């Protein structure tokens, strides 16, 4: 039986882009239609990316101490979240962190620093770090994420060997002022455009779960398509204590899958990356999500811990996928555990 979503996938593969109405239909699919949605979107994922998963690794160069008031962010002005706060890592420490991620299977390292935007000295610091990283690991992709850019800064990063620049729009333009007031949506778009103009690969995504409507999620995805974002991180709100969104748990695993499926239908040939909040919100359906997305972060995020890196790699392998660029199985296999509890013992059962 051919579903409406199969027909939508057929049309997209034939060259007809998804419309906002198509995207809304995906986002509002009934529970009974979920596997039809996943199967249809999975065809698009396989057509463009096969069975590969791109593994990315974050290095948080400077944590906390940000003057912006993004309501979702644990590093923002006014946040009392008990996160790690520190100024710039030394270059050696940053290189060690990056090497750990690359050893774990990552092919892209994302160099991130909190703040409104970098000073020229900050840009020089990241440029020097990127150059050193490329000398040690010539094949690595380097992405920088430093906030709002000023004249000449994107070109300086490009000249130093940085490949991509991340600056998420995070939410729809119509919802932006509800989320942050210290900069505008136009400021964010301007930075993405500066990165593109300098020849950096634009990386821009969103956060689901910020109180947006279905229509606003669709608006954000189509804005990212219009921006021609090469990679689209899809974050799911992490409701840190001490932020305005604390105790906000509006997302379900099914909702998260539909958001990822919508992203695939709207941007079928773009890198869709499952980003922050993956473990919290997708939980036991993370493996299904890889049939929609083709990219993940390995291990920890900026201020929150992810699941163990070995589990991330196991997730990829067990889903029938391979790490992009890897010729070896990087996942570890668990040995069987002999039962020593429950029936026949004095130890409480696992129940």
């Amino acid at each position: 039986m051919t579903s409406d979503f199969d027909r939508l996938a057929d049309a997209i593969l034939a060259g007809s882009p998804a419309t906002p109405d198509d995207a809304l239909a995906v986002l509002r699919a009934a529970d009974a239609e979920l596997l039809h949605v996943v199967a249809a979107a999975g065809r698009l994922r396989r057509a463009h990316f096969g069975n590969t998963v791109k593994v990315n690794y974050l290095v948080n160069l400077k944590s906390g101490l940000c003057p912006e008031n993004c309501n979702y962010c644990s590093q923002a002005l006014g946040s009392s979240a008990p996160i790690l706060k520190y100024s710039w890592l030394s270059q050696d420490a940053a290189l060690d962190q990056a090497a750990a991620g690359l050893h774990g299977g990552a092919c892209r390292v994302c160099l991130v620093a909190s703040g409104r935007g970098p000073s020229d000295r900050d840009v020089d610091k990241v440029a020097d770090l990127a150059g050193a990283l490329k000398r040690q690991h010539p094949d690595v992709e380097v992405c920088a994420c430093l906030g709002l850019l000023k004249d000449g800064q994107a070109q300086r990063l490009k000249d130093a060997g940085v490949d991509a620049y991340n600056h998420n729009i995070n939410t729809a333009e119509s919802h932006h002022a509800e989320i942050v007031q210290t900069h505008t949506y136009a400021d964010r778009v301007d930075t993405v455009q500066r990165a593109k103009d300098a020849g950096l690969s634009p990386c821009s995504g969103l956060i689901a779960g910020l109180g947006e409507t279905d229509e606003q999620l669709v608006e954000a995805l189509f804005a990212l398509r219009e921006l021609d974002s090469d990679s689209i991180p899809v974050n799911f709100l992490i409701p840190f204590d001490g932020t305005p969104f604390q105790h906000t748990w509006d997302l379900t695993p099914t909702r998260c899958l539909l958001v990822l499926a919508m992203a695939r239908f709207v941007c079928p040939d773009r890198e869709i990356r499952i980003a922050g909040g993956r473990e919290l919100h997708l939980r036991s359906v993370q493996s299904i999500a890889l049939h929609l997305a083709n990219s993940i972060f390995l291990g920890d995020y900026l201020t929150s811990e992810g699941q163990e890196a070995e589990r991330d790699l196991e997730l990829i392998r067990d889903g029938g996928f391979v790490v992009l660029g890897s010729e070896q199985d990087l996942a570890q296999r668990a040995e069987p555990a002999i039962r020593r509890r429950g029936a026949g013992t004095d130890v409480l059962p696992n129940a």
Side-chain angles (χ1 to χ4, degrees), residues 172-190:
E173 182 175 13
S174 62
H175 192 49
H176 187 272
E178 300 296 317
I179 304 303
V180 57
Q181 296 76 45
T182 49
H183 59 264
T184 66
Y185 179 86
D187 290 332
R188 288 187 169 270
V189 171
D190 176 71

Side-chain angles (χ1 to χ4, degrees), residues 151-233:
D151 288 347
Q153 292 182 329
Q155 191 62 55
R156 172 73 180 95
L157 294 169
K158 174 67 175 177
D159 292 344
V162 173
D163 301 287
Y165 195 83
N166 168 259
H167 196 66
N168 296 329
I169 62 168
N170 288 326
T171 193
E173 182 175 13
S174 62
H175 192 49
H176 187 272
E178 300 296 317
I179 304 303
V180 57
Q181 296 76 45
T182 49
H183 59 264
T184 66
Y185 179 86
D187 290 332
R188 288 187 169 270
V189 171
D190 176 71
T191 284
V192 177
Q193 191 60 54
R194 286 175 185 269
K196 289 173 61 178
D197 290 346
L200 293 167
S201 173
C203 173
S204 188
L206 56 79
I207 304 172
L210 295 174
E212 71 282 341
T213 65
D214 289 352
E215 290 81 3
Q216 286 169 330
L217 265 178
V218 171
E219 179 189 342
L221 250 301
F222 276 81
L224 291 167
R225 188 168 84 177
E226 184 67 23
L227 278 172
D228 204 24
S229 183
D230 288 333
S231 51
I232 301 175

Side-chain angles (χ1 to χ4, degrees), residues 263-324:
R264 179 57 66 201
F265 279 113
V266 174
C267 303
D269 61 346
R270 301 297 157 145
E271 178 187 339
I272 306 297
R273 185 181 311 145
I274 319 175
R278 163 167 61 95
E279 300 86 350
L280 284 177
H281 295 293
L282 283 165
R283 301 197 291 274
S284 62
V285 300
Q286 289 184 69
S287 59
I288 297 176
L290 284 180
H291 290 274
L292 306 167
N294 65 296
S295 179
I296 64 169
F297 280 111
L298 178 76
D300 296 336
Y301 302 95
L302 294 177
T303 62
S304 64
E305 292 187 354
Q307 65 190 19
E308 293 82 1
E310 290 84 358
R311 284 190 60 200
D312 287 338
L313 297 170
E314 182 181 75
L315 180 73
I316 294 169
R317 185 200 71 212
D318 291 354
F321 300 99
V322 296
V323 173
L324 181 66

Side-chain angles (χ1 to χ4, degrees), residues 44-285:
L44 301 176
R45 183 243 195 272
R46 292 270 177 170
H48 292 287
F49 300 99
N51 70 335
T52 62
V53 176
K54 186 173 184 177
V55 176
N56 308 263
Y57 189 73
L58 284 169
V59 178
N60 194 357
L61 299 175
K62 179 165 74 80
S63 182
L65 314 171
C66 184
E68 303 300 288
N69 72 343
C70 307
N71 292 344
Y72 53 83
C73 184
S74 60
Q75 305 183 77
L77 179 70
S79 167
S80 60
I83 62 169
L84 288 171
K85 296 179 182 179
Y86 51 86
S87 190
W88 289 87
L89 294 180
S90 70
Q91 185 174 112
D92 286 346
L95 289 171
D96 287 345
Q97 292 291 312
L102 294 170
H103 178 72
C107 64
R108 174 181 279 197
V109 171
C110 304
L111 304 174
V112 188
S114 63
R116 178 180 176 85
S119 66
D120 288 340
R121 183 180 177 186
D122 293 337
V123 170
D124 287 342
K125 191 177 301 186
V126 174
D128 289 345
L129 172 58
L133 185 55
K134 289 269 187 170
R135 287 191 294 275
Q136 291 188 9
H137 308 277
D139 295 330
V140 67
E141 288 183 19
V142 177
C143 180
C145 177
L146 311 173
L148 301 172
L149 293 174
K150 299 188 285 289
D151 288 347
Q153 292 182 329
Q155 191 62 55
R156 172 73 180 95
L157 294 169
K158 174 67 175 177
D159 292 344
V162 173
D163 301 287
Y165 195 83
N166 168 259
H167 196 66
N168 296 329
I169 62 168
N170 288 326
T171 193
E173 182 175 13
S174 62
H175 192 49
H176 187 272
E178 300 296 317
I179 304 303
V180 57
Q181 296 76 45
T182 49
H183 59 264
T184 66
Y185 179 86
D187 290 332
R188 288 187 169 270
V189 171
D190 176 71
T191 284
V192 177
Q193 191 60 54
R194 286 175 185 269
K196 289 173 61 178
D197 290 346
L200 293 167
S201 173
C203 173
S204 188
L206 56 79
I207 304 172
L210 295 174
E212 71 282 341
T213 65
D214 289 352
E215 290 81 3
Q216 286 169 330
L217 265 178
V218 171
E219 179 189 342
L221 250 301
F222 276 81
L224 291 167
R225 188 168 84 177
E226 184 67 23
L227 278 172
D228 204 24
S229 183
D230 288 333
S231 51
I232 301 175
V234 177
N235 297 276
F236 304 106
L237 174 69
I238 301 176
F240 289 100
D241 287 346
T243 68
F245 277 102
Q246 65 181 3
H247 311 312
T248 302
W249 295 94
D250 295 336
L251 296 171
T252 65
T254 296
R255 173 70 169 182
C256 295
L257 287 175
L258 292 175
V259 171
L260 290 167
M262 180 180 69
R264 179 57 66 201
F265 279 113
V266 174
C267 303
D269 61 346
R270 301 297 157 145
E271 178 187 339
I272 306 297
R273 185 181 311 145
I274 319 175
R278 163 167 61 95
E279 300 86 350
L280 284 177
H281 295 293
L282 283 165
R283 301 197 291 274
S284 62
V285 300

